[in-house]
Amino acid sequence: MTIKAFIFDLDGVLADTTEYHYRGWKYVADEEGIPFTREENERLRGIPRRESLELILKGRTYPEDKIQALMAKKNEHYLELLREIRPRDALPGARELLEEIRRAGLKSALGSASKNARFVIERLGIADLLDAISDGNSVERQKPAPDLFLRAANQLGLPPRECVVVEDAAAGIEAARAGGFRSVGLGPRERVGEAEAVFPSLENVKLNDLLTALK
Ligand code: BG6
Ligand code: MG
């Protein structure tokens, strides 16, 4: 089956924002006196805002207004950290790969759980390189459900088997597989080993490297 498009996750794939998400949650956890480590944060990759907070709370039950306030506080802190984000904060290799995909006549889409995705891609200066955008506002069921990627494929007018999902999160690879997509994982095998092909990151990765690895 020929590959016609790539659907990219944003945080940890195209944008160097994982540390900012961590710091946003760490700020909230510290204020609440809840222990929260970088290691625990690893498990929040790809997980939407509310589910992330629930995982951080580890069974503590808070009233809905408090949940809303903590999510808002995390996002304010996150956006404050993003204030300085510039094109140089695109992860190494990301822009080059998007440009190469476009030159080759293939399509690129965004499939990100983040409600801040549009803001981030604008600030990174890569919005024009994306042919379709599905983000945290686009679907009800988030990763590991395949809905976000299915919507992106639908926007592109392509079946899942002709699209490659590029992800740094276990939940994202699970979503890709559930939707019948091809998959590339970025990062350690313990995290993304379920993907069809694994690379450490997009640094120095050419379109042909991806196509060869997926043969
Ligand atoms: C994902 C991140 O891309 O988006 C998660 O990996 C984050 O860490 C999720 O929780 C939702 O992001 P936002 O910007 O809507 O809070
Ligand atoms: Mg990610």
PDB file of all heavy atoms in Angstrom, residues 20-57:
ATOM      1  N   TYR A  20       7.808  21.927  29.294  1.00  0.00           N
ATOM      2  CA  TYR A  20       6.877  22.980  29.716  1.00  0.00           C
ATOM      3  C   TYR A  20       5.588  22.382  30.291  1.00  0.00           C
ATOM      4  O   TYR A  20       5.038  22.893  31.261  1.00  0.00           O
ATOM      5  CB  TYR A  20       6.537  23.926  28.560  1.00  0.00           C
ATOM      6  CG  TYR A  20       7.708  24.688  27.984  1.00  0.00           C
ATOM      7  CD1 TYR A  20       7.667  25.183  26.689  1.00  0.00           C
ATOM      8  CD2 TYR A  20       8.845  24.936  28.745  1.00  0.00           C
ATOM      9  CE1 TYR A  20       8.725  25.905  26.149  1.00  0.00           C
ATOM     10  CE2 TYR A  20       9.913  25.653  28.211  1.00  0.00           C
ATOM     11  CZ  TYR A  20       9.844  26.133  26.910  1.00  0.00           C
ATOM     12  OH  TYR A  20      10.882  26.842  26.381  1.00  0.00           O
ATOM     13  N   HIS A  21       5.097  21.307  29.644  1.00  0.00           N
ATOM     14  CA  HIS A  21       3.917  20.632  30.202  1.00  0.00           C
ATOM     15  C   HIS A  21       4.265  20.114  31.606  1.00  0.00           C
ATOM     16  O   HIS A  21       3.482  20.271  32.544  1.00  0.00           O
ATOM     17  CB  HIS A  21       3.482  19.452  29.316  1.00  0.00           C
ATOM     18  CG  HIS A  21       2.638  19.844  28.144  1.00  0.00           C
ATOM     19  ND1 HIS A  21       1.377  20.389  28.276  1.00  0.00           N
ATOM     20  CD2 HIS A  21       2.873  19.770  26.813  1.00  0.00           C
ATOM     21  CE1 HIS A  21       0.872  20.630  27.068  1.00  0.00           C
ATOM     22  NE2 HIS A  21       1.759  20.266  26.168  1.00  0.00           N
ATOM     23  N   TYR A  22       5.437  19.523  31.745  1.00  0.00           N
ATOM     24  CA  TYR A  22       5.859  19.012  33.058  1.00  0.00           C
ATOM     25  C   TYR A  22       5.896  20.142  34.083  1.00  0.00           C
ATOM     26  O   TYR A  22       5.342  20.024  35.182  1.00  0.00           O
ATOM     27  CB  TYR A  22       7.227  18.332  32.962  1.00  0.00           C
ATOM     28  CG  TYR A  22       7.838  18.107  34.331  1.00  0.00           C
ATOM     29  CD1 TYR A  22       7.278  17.197  35.221  1.00  0.00           C
ATOM     30  CD2 TYR A  22       8.953  18.831  34.751  1.00  0.00           C
ATOM     31  CE1 TYR A  22       7.811  17.007  36.486  1.00  0.00           C
ATOM     32  CE2 TYR A  22       9.496  18.654  36.011  1.00  0.00           C
ATOM     33  CZ  TYR A  22       8.914  17.742  36.877  1.00  0.00           C
ATOM     34  OH  TYR A  22       9.426  17.580  38.125  1.00  0.00           O
ATOM     35  N   ARG A  23       6.527  21.240  33.716  1.00  0.00           N
ATOM     36  CA  ARG A  23       6.662  22.341  34.683  1.00  0.00           C
ATOM     37  C   ARG A  23       5.306  22.933  35.063  1.00  0.00           C
ATOM     38  O   ARG A  23       5.105  23.352  36.193  1.00  0.00           O
ATOM     39  CB  ARG A  23       7.584  23.420  34.131  1.00  0.00           C
ATOM     40  CG  ARG A  23       9.042  22.985  34.240  1.00  0.00           C
ATOM     41  CD  ARG A  23       9.926  24.201  34.191  1.00  0.00           C
ATOM     42  NE  ARG A  23      10.909  24.073  33.153  1.00  0.00           N
ATOM     43  CZ  ARG A  23      11.509  25.090  32.550  1.00  0.00           C
ATOM     44  NH1 ARG A  23      11.221  26.326  32.877  1.00  0.00           N
ATOM     45  NH2 ARG A  23      12.409  24.868  31.632  1.00  0.00           N
ATOM     46  N   GLY A  24       4.386  22.971  34.106  1.00  0.00           N
ATOM     47  CA  GLY A  24       3.030  23.451  34.399  1.00  0.00           C
ATOM     48  C   GLY A  24       2.351  22.578  35.448  1.00  0.00           C
ATOM     49  O   GLY A  24       1.791  23.067  36.429  1.00  0.00           O
ATOM     50  N   TRP A  25       2.429  21.268  35.252  1.00  0.00           N
ATOM     51  CA  TRP A  25       1.825  20.338  36.217  1.00  0.00           C
ATOM     52  C   TRP A  25       2.579  20.331  37.538  1.00  0.00           C
ATOM     53  O   TRP A  25       1.975  20.210  38.610  1.00  0.00           O
ATOM     54  CB  TRP A  25       1.756  18.922  35.648  1.00  0.00           C
ATOM     55  CG  TRP A  25       0.706  18.711  34.617  1.00  0.00           C
ATOM     56  CD1 TRP A  25       0.877  18.167  33.370  1.00  0.00           C
ATOM     57  CD2 TRP A  25      -0.698  19.006  34.731  1.00  0.00           C
ATOM     58  NE1 TRP A  25      -0.318  18.122  32.716  1.00  0.00           N
ATOM     59  CE2 TRP A  25      -1.302  18.629  33.517  1.00  0.00           C
ATOM     60  CE3 TRP A  25      -1.496  19.571  35.739  1.00  0.00           C
ATOM     61  CZ2 TRP A  25      -2.671  18.791  33.291  1.00  0.00           C
ATOM     62  CZ3 TRP A  25      -2.861  19.727  35.510  1.00  0.00           C
ATOM     63  CH2 TRP A  25      -3.429  19.338  34.294  1.00  0.00           C
ATOM     64  N   LYS A  26       3.885  20.466  37.480  1.00  0.00           N
ATOM     65  CA  LYS A  26       4.689  20.442  38.704  1.00  0.00           C
ATOM     66  C   LYS A  26       4.303  21.621  39.600  1.00  0.00           C
ATOM     67  O   LYS A  26       4.189  21.486  40.822  1.00  0.00           O
ATOM     68  CB  LYS A  26       6.182  20.494  38.319  1.00  0.00           C
ATOM     69  CG  LYS A  26       7.158  20.436  39.476  1.00  0.00           C
ATOM     70  CD  LYS A  26       7.131  19.092  40.184  1.00  0.00           C
ATOM     71  CE  LYS A  26       8.128  19.071  41.337  1.00  0.00           C
ATOM     72  NZ  LYS A  26       7.755  18.030  42.332  1.00  0.00           N
ATOM     73  N   TYR A  27       4.066  22.761  38.965  1.00  0.00           N
ATOM     74  CA  TYR A  27       3.665  23.969  39.685  1.00  0.00           C
ATOM     75  C   TYR A  27       2.344  23.720  40.436  1.00  0.00           C
ATOM     76  O   TYR A  27       2.223  24.020  41.629  1.00  0.00           O
ATOM     77  CB  TYR A  27       3.515  25.091  38.656  1.00  0.00           C
ATOM     78  CG  TYR A  27       3.027  26.406  39.167  1.00  0.00           C
ATOM     79  CD1 TYR A  27       3.883  27.282  39.824  1.00  0.00           C
ATOM     80  CD2 TYR A  27       1.701  26.800  38.964  1.00  0.00           C
ATOM     81  CE1 TYR A  27       3.423  28.515  40.277  1.00  0.00           C
ATOM     82  CE2 TYR A  27       1.238  28.022  39.411  1.00  0.00           C
ATOM     83  CZ  TYR A  27       2.103  28.874  40.064  1.00  0.00           C
ATOM     84  OH  TYR A  27       1.652  30.087  40.505  1.00  0.00           O
ATOM     85  N   VAL A  28       1.381  23.123  39.734  1.00  0.00           N
ATOM     86  CA  VAL A  28       0.078  22.817  40.343  1.00  0.00           C
ATOM     87  C   VAL A  28       0.240  21.771  41.460  1.00  0.00           C
ATOM     88  O   VAL A  28      -0.295  21.931  42.558  1.00  0.00           O
ATOM     89  CB  VAL A  28      -0.898  22.301  39.248  1.00  0.00           C
ATOM     90  CG1 VAL A  28      -2.145  21.687  39.864  1.00  0.00           C
ATOM     91  CG2 VAL A  28      -1.264  23.434  38.306  1.00  0.00           C
ATOM     92  N   ALA A  29       1.001  20.716  41.181  1.00  0.00           N
ATOM     93  CA  ALA A  29       1.179  19.635  42.166  1.00  0.00           C
ATOM     94  C   ALA A  29       1.856  20.170  43.428  1.00  0.00           C
ATOM     95  O   ALA A  29       1.441  19.862  44.545  1.00  0.00           O
ATOM     96  CB  ALA A  29       1.991  18.491  41.554  1.00  0.00           C
ATOM     97  N   ASP A  30       2.889  20.989  43.251  1.00  0.00           N
ATOM     98  CA  ASP A  30       3.598  21.561  44.405  1.00  0.00           C
ATOM     99  C   ASP A  30       2.643  22.394  45.262  1.00  0.00           C
ATOM    100  O   ASP A  30       2.632  22.283  46.482  1.00  0.00           O
ATOM    101  CB  ASP A  30       4.766  22.456  43.952  1.00  0.00           C
ATOM    102  CG  ASP A  30       5.968  21.639  43.500  1.00  0.00           C
ATOM    103  OD1 ASP A  30       5.936  20.391  43.675  1.00  0.00           O
ATOM    104  OD2 ASP A  30       6.930  22.226  42.964  1.00  0.00           O
ATOM    105  N   GLU A  31       1.839  23.221  44.600  1.00  0.00           N
ATOM    106  CA  GLU A  31       0.891  24.063  45.348  1.00  0.00           C
ATOM    107  C   GLU A  31      -0.099  23.233  46.144  1.00  0.00           C
ATOM    108  O   GLU A  31      -0.540  23.627  47.220  1.00  0.00           O
ATOM    109  CB  GLU A  31       0.133  24.979  44.387  1.00  0.00           C
ATOM    110  CG  GLU A  31       0.937  26.186  43.978  1.00  0.00           C
ATOM    111  CD  GLU A  31       0.051  27.396  43.712  1.00  0.00           C
ATOM    112  OE1 GLU A  31      -1.153  27.219  43.445  1.00  0.00           O
ATOM    113  OE2 GLU A  31       0.573  28.529  43.764  1.00  0.00           O
ATOM    114  N   GLU A  32      -0.447  22.059  45.602  1.00  0.00           N
ATOM    115  CA  GLU A  32      -1.410  21.183  46.268  1.00  0.00           C
ATOM    116  C   GLU A  32      -0.734  20.219  47.242  1.00  0.00           C
ATOM    117  O   GLU A  32      -1.405  19.413  47.890  1.00  0.00           O
ATOM    118  CB  GLU A  32      -2.191  20.369  45.224  1.00  0.00           C
ATOM    119  CG  GLU A  32      -3.126  21.195  44.375  1.00  0.00           C
ATOM    120  CD  GLU A  32      -4.200  21.910  45.201  1.00  0.00           C
ATOM    121  OE1 GLU A  32      -4.891  21.235  45.968  1.00  0.00           O
ATOM    122  OE2 GLU A  32      -4.304  23.150  45.082  1.00  0.00           O
ATOM    123  N   GLY A  33       0.608  20.260  47.274  1.00  0.00           N
ATOM    124  CA  GLY A  33       1.342  19.351  48.153  1.00  0.00           C
ATOM    125  C   GLY A  33       1.283  17.902  47.693  1.00  0.00           C
ATOM    126  O   GLY A  33       1.358  16.972  48.494  1.00  0.00           O
ATOM    127  N   ILE A  34       1.145  17.700  46.385  1.00  0.00           N
ATOM    128  CA  ILE A  34       1.082  16.338  45.838  1.00  0.00           C
ATOM    129  C   ILE A  34       2.434  15.995  45.202  1.00  0.00           C
ATOM    130  O   ILE A  34       2.924  16.756  44.360  1.00  0.00           O
ATOM    131  CB  ILE A  34      -0.028  16.227  44.760  1.00  0.00           C
ATOM    132  CG1 ILE A  34      -1.387  16.525  45.392  1.00  0.00           C
ATOM    133  CG2 ILE A  34      -0.016  14.861  44.092  1.00  0.00           C
ATOM    134  CD1 ILE A  34      -2.511  16.656  44.386  1.00  0.00           C
ATOM    135  N   PRO A  35       3.056  14.878  45.608  1.00  0.00           N
ATOM    136  CA  PRO A  35       4.332  14.516  44.972  1.00  0.00           C
ATOM    137  C   PRO A  35       4.130  14.237  43.478  1.00  0.00           C
ATOM    138  O   PRO A  35       3.149  13.588  43.102  1.00  0.00           O
ATOM    139  CB  PRO A  35       4.743  13.219  45.703  1.00  0.00           C
ATOM    140  CG  PRO A  35       3.822  13.085  46.867  1.00  0.00           C
ATOM    141  CD  PRO A  35       2.598  13.884  46.571  1.00  0.00           C
ATOM    142  N   PHE A  36       5.030  14.754  42.660  1.00  0.00           N
ATOM    143  CA  PHE A  36       4.927  14.536  41.199  1.00  0.00           C
ATOM    144  C   PHE A  36       6.336  14.611  40.610  1.00  0.00           C
ATOM    145  O   PHE A  36       7.011  15.625  40.741  1.00  0.00           O
ATOM    146  CB  PHE A  36       4.025  15.611  40.575  1.00  0.00           C
ATOM    147  CG  PHE A  36       3.883  15.513  39.081  1.00  0.00           C
ATOM    148  CD1 PHE A  36       3.428  14.339  38.475  1.00  0.00           C
ATOM    149  CD2 PHE A  36       4.208  16.583  38.260  1.00  0.00           C
ATOM    150  CE1 PHE A  36       3.285  14.246  37.106  1.00  0.00           C
ATOM    151  CE2 PHE A  36       4.075  16.505  36.878  1.00  0.00           C
ATOM    152  CZ  PHE A  36       3.608  15.329  36.305  1.00  0.00           C
ATOM    153  N   THR A  37       6.761  13.506  40.014  1.00  0.00           N
ATOM    154  CA  THR A  37       8.128  13.423  39.504  1.00  0.00           C
ATOM    155  C   THR A  37       8.158  13.471  37.971  1.00  0.00           C
ATOM    156  O   THR A  37       7.139  13.247  37.319  1.00  0.00           O
ATOM    157  CB  THR A  37       8.778  12.095  39.934  1.00  0.00           C
ATOM    158  OG1 THR A  37       8.023  11.028  39.334  1.00  0.00           O
ATOM    159  CG2 THR A  37       8.778  11.934  41.451  1.00  0.00           C
ATOM    160  N   ARG A  38       9.368  13.710  37.449  1.00  0.00           N
ATOM    161  CA  ARG A  38       9.563  13.678  35.998  1.00  0.00           C
ATOM    162  C   ARG A  38       9.204  12.298  35.431  1.00  0.00           C
ATOM    163  O   ARG A  38       8.686  12.181  34.325  1.00  0.00           O
ATOM    164  CB  ARG A  38      11.026  13.968  35.660  1.00  0.00           C
ATOM    165  CG  ARG A  38      11.295  15.403  35.340  1.00  0.00           C
ATOM    166  CD  ARG A  38      12.781  15.648  35.229  1.00  0.00           C
ATOM    167  NE  ARG A  38      13.062  16.963  35.736  1.00  0.00           N
ATOM    168  CZ  ARG A  38      12.825  18.079  35.060  1.00  0.00           C
ATOM    169  NH1 ARG A  38      12.361  18.032  33.846  1.00  0.00           N
ATOM    170  NH2 ARG A  38      13.075  19.244  35.606  1.00  0.00           N
ATOM    171  N   GLU A  39       9.516  11.277  36.228  1.00  0.00           N
ATOM    172  CA  GLU A  39       9.231   9.910  35.777  1.00  0.00           C
ATOM    173  C   GLU A  39       7.715   9.711  35.620  1.00  0.00           C
ATOM    174  O   GLU A  39       7.245   9.143  34.630  1.00  0.00           O
ATOM    175  CB  GLU A  39       9.793   8.931  36.805  1.00  0.00           C
ATOM    176  CG  GLU A  39       9.902   7.524  36.296  1.00  0.00           C
ATOM    177  CD  GLU A  39      10.239   6.551  37.407  1.00  0.00           C
ATOM    178  OE1 GLU A  39      10.556   6.981  38.537  1.00  0.00           O
ATOM    179  OE2 GLU A  39      10.161   5.352  37.118  1.00  0.00           O
ATOM    180  N   GLU A  40       6.956  10.240  36.585  1.00  0.00           N
ATOM    181  CA  GLU A  40       5.496  10.144  36.482  1.00  0.00           C
ATOM    182  C   GLU A  40       5.000  10.945  35.275  1.00  0.00           C
ATOM    183  O   GLU A  40       4.049  10.563  34.611  1.00  0.00           O
ATOM    184  CB  GLU A  40       4.842  10.683  37.764  1.00  0.00           C
ATOM    185  CG  GLU A  40       5.007   9.751  38.931  1.00  0.00           C
ATOM    186  CD  GLU A  40       4.556  10.380  40.243  1.00  0.00           C
ATOM    187  OE1 GLU A  40       4.970  11.520  40.536  1.00  0.00           O
ATOM    188  OE2 GLU A  40       3.817   9.738  40.960  1.00  0.00           O
ATOM    189  N   ASN A  41       5.672  12.061  35.019  1.00  0.00           N
ATOM    190  CA  ASN A  41       5.285  12.904  33.895  1.00  0.00           C
ATOM    191  C   ASN A  41       5.421  12.164  32.558  1.00  0.00           C
ATOM    192  O   ASN A  41       4.666  12.419  31.630  1.00  0.00           O
ATOM    193  CB  ASN A  41       6.136  14.168  33.885  1.00  0.00           C
ATOM    194  CG  ASN A  41       5.709  15.131  32.804  1.00  0.00           C
ATOM    195  OD1 ASN A  41       4.592  15.621  32.816  1.00  0.00           O
ATOM    196  ND2 ASN A  41       6.578  15.373  31.851  1.00  0.00           N
ATOM    197  N   GLU A  42       6.375  11.249  32.480  1.00  0.00           N
ATOM    198  CA  GLU A  42       6.565  10.465  31.248  1.00  0.00           C
ATOM    199  C   GLU A  42       5.276   9.759  30.845  1.00  0.00           C
ATOM    200  O   GLU A  42       4.985   9.609  29.673  1.00  0.00           O
ATOM    201  CB  GLU A  42       7.672   9.416  31.451  1.00  0.00           C
ATOM    202  CG  GLU A  42       9.067   9.942  31.233  1.00  0.00           C
ATOM    203  CD  GLU A  42       9.245  10.479  29.821  1.00  0.00           C
ATOM    204  OE1 GLU A  42       9.098   9.689  28.871  1.00  0.00           O
ATOM    205  OE2 GLU A  42       9.504  11.685  29.668  1.00  0.00           O
ATOM    206  N   ARG A  43       4.516   9.331  31.850  1.00  0.00           N
ATOM    207  CA  ARG A  43       3.273   8.601  31.566  1.00  0.00           C
ATOM    208  C   ARG A  43       2.148   9.529  31.122  1.00  0.00           C
ATOM    209  O   ARG A  43       1.075   9.076  30.756  1.00  0.00           O
ATOM    210  CB  ARG A  43       2.849   7.787  32.796  1.00  0.00           C
ATOM    211  CG  ARG A  43       3.530   6.426  32.793  1.00  0.00           C
ATOM    212  CD  ARG A  43       3.230   5.645  34.051  1.00  0.00           C
ATOM    213  NE  ARG A  43       4.320   5.793  35.006  1.00  0.00           N
ATOM    214  CZ  ARG A  43       4.175   5.949  36.316  1.00  0.00           C
ATOM    215  NH1 ARG A  43       2.989   5.991  36.843  1.00  0.00           N
ATOM    216  NH2 ARG A  43       5.223   6.046  37.088  1.00  0.00           N
ATOM    217  N   LEU A  44       2.391  10.827  31.164  1.00  0.00           N
ATOM    218  CA  LEU A  44       1.349  11.778  30.752  1.00  0.00           C
ATOM    219  C   LEU A  44       1.508  12.209  29.293  1.00  0.00           C
ATOM    220  O   LEU A  44       0.716  12.992  28.785  1.00  0.00           O
ATOM    221  CB  LEU A  44       1.376  13.021  31.653  1.00  0.00           C
ATOM    222  CG  LEU A  44       1.208  12.773  33.154  1.00  0.00           C
ATOM    223  CD1 LEU A  44       1.137  14.107  33.895  1.00  0.00           C
ATOM    224  CD2 LEU A  44      -0.032  11.947  33.438  1.00  0.00           C
ATOM    225  N   ARG A  45       2.550  11.723  28.633  1.00  0.00           N
ATOM    226  CA  ARG A  45       2.728  12.068  27.214  1.00  0.00           C
ATOM    227  C   ARG A  45       1.474  11.673  26.439  1.00  0.00           C
ATOM    228  O   ARG A  45       1.022  10.532  26.539  1.00  0.00           O
ATOM    229  CB  ARG A  45       3.917  11.312  26.612  1.00  0.00           C
ATOM    230  CG  ARG A  45       5.241  11.977  26.859  1.00  0.00           C
ATOM    231  CD  ARG A  45       6.361  11.177  26.235  1.00  0.00           C
ATOM    232  NE  ARG A  45       7.634  11.617  26.780  1.00  0.00           N
ATOM    233  CZ  ARG A  45       8.512  12.377  26.134  1.00  0.00           C
ATOM    234  NH1 ARG A  45       8.289  12.741  24.898  1.00  0.00           N
ATOM    235  NH2 ARG A  45       9.630  12.740  26.718  1.00  0.00           N
ATOM    236  N   GLY A  46       0.947  12.617  25.676  1.00  0.00           N
ATOM    237  CA  GLY A  46      -0.209  12.329  24.822  1.00  0.00           C
ATOM    238  C   GLY A  46      -1.541  12.303  25.543  1.00  0.00           C
ATOM    239  O   GLY A  46      -2.589  12.181  24.912  1.00  0.00           O
ATOM    240  N   ILE A  47      -1.511  12.397  26.866  1.00  0.00           N
ATOM    241  CA  ILE A  47      -2.745  12.307  27.660  1.00  0.00           C
ATOM    242  C   ILE A  47      -3.358  13.700  27.809  1.00  0.00           C
ATOM    243  O   ILE A  47      -2.667  14.642  28.190  1.00  0.00           O
ATOM    244  CB  ILE A  47      -2.438  11.699  29.060  1.00  0.00           C
ATOM    245  CG1 ILE A  47      -1.715  10.347  28.926  1.00  0.00           C
ATOM    246  CG2 ILE A  47      -3.706  11.575  29.900  1.00  0.00           C
ATOM    247  CD1 ILE A  47      -2.499   9.250  28.259  1.00  0.00           C
ATOM    248  N   PRO A  48      -4.666  13.845  27.515  1.00  0.00           N
ATOM    249  CA  PRO A  48      -5.292  15.169  27.585  1.00  0.00           C
ATOM    250  C   PRO A  48      -5.249  15.791  28.980  1.00  0.00           C
ATOM    251  O   PRO A  48      -4.960  15.113  29.969  1.00  0.00           O
ATOM    252  CB  PRO A  48      -6.742  14.909  27.169  1.00  0.00           C
ATOM    253  CG  PRO A  48      -6.805  13.537  26.656  1.00  0.00           C
ATOM    254  CD  PRO A  48      -5.580  12.806  27.068  1.00  0.00           C
ATOM    255  N   ARG A  49      -5.568  17.075  28.999  1.00  0.00           N
ATOM    256  CA  ARG A  49      -5.392  17.873  30.223  1.00  0.00           C
ATOM    257  C   ARG A  49      -6.130  17.266  31.423  1.00  0.00           C
ATOM    258  O   ARG A  49      -5.550  17.066  32.480  1.00  0.00           O
ATOM    259  CB  ARG A  49      -5.901  19.292  29.960  1.00  0.00           C
ATOM    260  CG  ARG A  49      -5.316  20.313  30.915  1.00  0.00           C
ATOM    261  CD  ARG A  49      -5.817  21.712  30.567  1.00  0.00           C
ATOM    262  NE  ARG A  49      -5.465  22.105  29.207  1.00  0.00           N
ATOM    263  CZ  ARG A  49      -5.928  23.195  28.602  1.00  0.00           C
ATOM    264  NH1 ARG A  49      -6.759  23.999  29.244  1.00  0.00           N
ATOM    265  NH2 ARG A  49      -5.571  23.487  27.367  1.00  0.00           N
ATOM    266  N   ARG A  50      -7.380  16.983  31.254  1.00  0.00           N
ATOM    267  CA  ARG A  50      -8.170  16.505  32.397  1.00  0.00           C
ATOM    268  C   ARG A  50      -7.684  15.146  32.903  1.00  0.00           C
ATOM    269  O   ARG A  50      -7.508  14.947  34.106  1.00  0.00           O
ATOM    270  CB  ARG A  50      -9.641  16.418  32.006  1.00  0.00           C
ATOM    271  CG  ARG A  50     -10.495  16.154  33.212  1.00  0.00           C
ATOM    272  CD  ARG A  50     -11.949  15.935  32.907  1.00  0.00           C
ATOM    273  NE  ARG A  50     -12.620  15.722  34.179  1.00  0.00           N
ATOM    274  CZ  ARG A  50     -13.302  16.655  34.822  1.00  0.00           C
ATOM    275  NH1 ARG A  50     -13.438  17.843  34.333  1.00  0.00           N
ATOM    276  NH2 ARG A  50     -13.856  16.377  35.987  1.00  0.00           N
ATOM    277  N   GLU A  51      -7.463  14.216  31.983  1.00  0.00           N
ATOM    278  CA  GLU A  51      -6.984  12.880  32.382  1.00  0.00           C
ATOM    279  C   GLU A  51      -5.606  12.988  33.026  1.00  0.00           C
ATOM    280  O   GLU A  51      -5.279  12.231  33.938  1.00  0.00           O
ATOM    281  CB  GLU A  51      -6.938  11.938  31.179  1.00  0.00           C
ATOM    282  CG  GLU A  51      -8.292  11.424  30.724  1.00  0.00           C
ATOM    283  CD  GLU A  51      -9.081  12.428  29.897  1.00  0.00           C
ATOM    284  OE1 GLU A  51      -8.659  13.600  29.765  1.00  0.00           O
ATOM    285  OE2 GLU A  51     -10.150  12.037  29.375  1.00  0.00           O
ATOM    286  N   SER A  52      -4.780  13.914  32.545  1.00  0.00           N
ATOM    287  CA  SER A  52      -3.453  14.115  33.149  1.00  0.00           C
ATOM    288  C   SER A  52      -3.622  14.517  34.609  1.00  0.00           C
ATOM    289  O   SER A  52      -2.971  13.963  35.498  1.00  0.00           O
ATOM    290  CB  SER A  52      -2.681  15.222  32.423  1.00  0.00           C
ATOM    291  OG  SER A  52      -2.420  14.852  31.087  1.00  0.00           O
ATOM    292  N   LEU A  53      -4.513  15.480  34.866  1.00  0.00           N
ATOM    293  CA  LEU A  53      -4.738  15.939  36.237  1.00  0.00           C
ATOM    294  C   LEU A  53      -5.235  14.787  37.101  1.00  0.00           C
ATOM    295  O   LEU A  53      -4.773  14.590  38.231  1.00  0.00           O
ATOM    296  CB  LEU A  53      -5.733  17.106  36.259  1.00  0.00           C
ATOM    297  CG  LEU A  53      -6.089  17.635  37.656  1.00  0.00           C
ATOM    298  CD1 LEU A  53      -4.832  18.101  38.408  1.00  0.00           C
ATOM    299  CD2 LEU A  53      -7.090  18.778  37.574  1.00  0.00           C
ATOM    300  N   GLU A  54      -6.168  13.986  36.556  1.00  0.00           N
ATOM    301  CA  GLU A  54      -6.695  12.858  37.334  1.00  0.00           C
ATOM    302  C   GLU A  54      -5.581  11.892  37.708  1.00  0.00           C
ATOM    303  O   GLU A  54      -5.543  11.374  38.829  1.00  0.00           O
ATOM    304  CB  GLU A  54      -7.815  12.162  36.563  1.00  0.00           C
ATOM    305  CG  GLU A  54      -9.108  12.979  36.639  1.00  0.00           C
ATOM    306  CD  GLU A  54     -10.160  12.587  35.616  1.00  0.00           C
ATOM    307  OE1 GLU A  54      -9.936  11.609  34.873  1.00  0.00           O
ATOM    308  OE2 GLU A  54     -11.191  13.287  35.562  1.00  0.00           O
ATOM    309  N   LEU A  55      -4.653  11.668  36.771  1.00  0.00           N
ATOM    310  CA  LEU A  55      -3.521  10.766  37.078  1.00  0.00           C
ATOM    311  C   LEU A  55      -2.627  11.374  38.156  1.00  0.00           C
ATOM    312  O   LEU A  55      -2.134  10.672  39.033  1.00  0.00           O
ATOM    313  CB  LEU A  55      -2.716  10.465  35.804  1.00  0.00           C
ATOM    314  CG  LEU A  55      -3.428   9.543  34.805  1.00  0.00           C
ATOM    315  CD1 LEU A  55      -2.685   9.520  33.470  1.00  0.00           C
ATOM    316  CD2 LEU A  55      -3.531   8.122  35.366  1.00  0.00           C
ATOM    317  N   ILE A  56      -2.430  12.685  38.087  1.00  0.00           N
ATOM    318  CA  ILE A  56      -1.586  13.365  39.089  1.00  0.00           C
ATOM    319  C   ILE A  56      -2.244  13.302  40.475  1.00  0.00           C
ATOM    320  O   ILE A  56      -1.567  13.125  41.489  1.00  0.00           O
ATOM    321  CB  ILE A  56      -1.324  14.830  38.657  1.00  0.00           C
ATOM    322  CG1 ILE A  56      -0.408  14.854  37.436  1.00  0.00           C
ATOM    323  CG2 ILE A  56      -0.714  15.642  39.803  1.00  0.00           C
ATOM    324  CD1 ILE A  56      -0.353  16.183  36.709  1.00  0.00           C
ATOM    325  N   LEU A  57      -3.569  13.406  40.506  1.00  0.00           N
ATOM    326  CA  LEU A  57      -4.290  13.400  41.790  1.00  0.00           C
ATOM    327  C   LEU A  57      -4.291  12.014  42.451  1.00  0.00           C
ATOM    328  O   LEU A  57      -4.572  11.896  43.649  1.00  0.00           O
ATOM    329  CB  LEU A  57      -5.730  13.886  41.604  1.00  0.00           C
ATOM    330  CG  LEU A  57      -5.894  15.356  41.188  1.00  0.00           C
ATOM    331  CD1 LEU A  57      -7.367  15.715  41.017  1.00  0.00           C
ATOM    332  CD2 LEU A  57      -5.236  16.309  42.184  1.00  0.00           C
TER     333      LEU A  57
END
